[in-house]
Amino acid sequence: MPIYEYKCSNCGHFEQKQSMKDAALTNCPTCDGPVQRLISKTIGVVFKGSGFYINDSRSNPNPAKDNPAS
Ligand SMILES: [Zn+2]
């Protein structure tokens, strides 16, 4: 089961193991704050193009640091 990385605006970075069929988390399981899913580092799972950004998230001054283009 792949592990997805999320960034919580309150708790910071965490990982969540979930099925590929499951919808992305929108709220932190710890504090229920808004979370943003990051690019998975699981080999074999490739997200092309569109980023995963929560609609109601505040504008993020920091661009994604986990740039897969390397
Ligand atoms: Zn949290």
Side-chain angles (χ1 to χ4, degrees), residues 2-8 13-14 16 18-26 34-40 45 47 50-54 57 64 66:
I3 297 174
Y4 293 98
E5 293 182 81
Y6 288 87
K7 187 175 73 174
C8 173
H13 182 267
F14 68 94
Q16 178 71 35
Q18 60 181 159
S19 169
M20 291 178 67
K21 292 182 295 187
D22 290 348
L25 296 181
T26 54
V35 298
Q36 180 182 89
R37 188 159 77 172
L38 306 177
I39 301 297
S40 174
V45 179
F47 297 108
S50 61
F52 291 84
Y53 293 101
I54 309 301
S57 66
D66 295 329

Side-chain angles (χ1 to χ4, degrees), residues 8-12 14 27-35:
C8 173
S9 59
N10 296 318
C11 306
F14 68 94
N27 291 91
C28 177
T30 302
C31 72
D32 203 38
V35 298

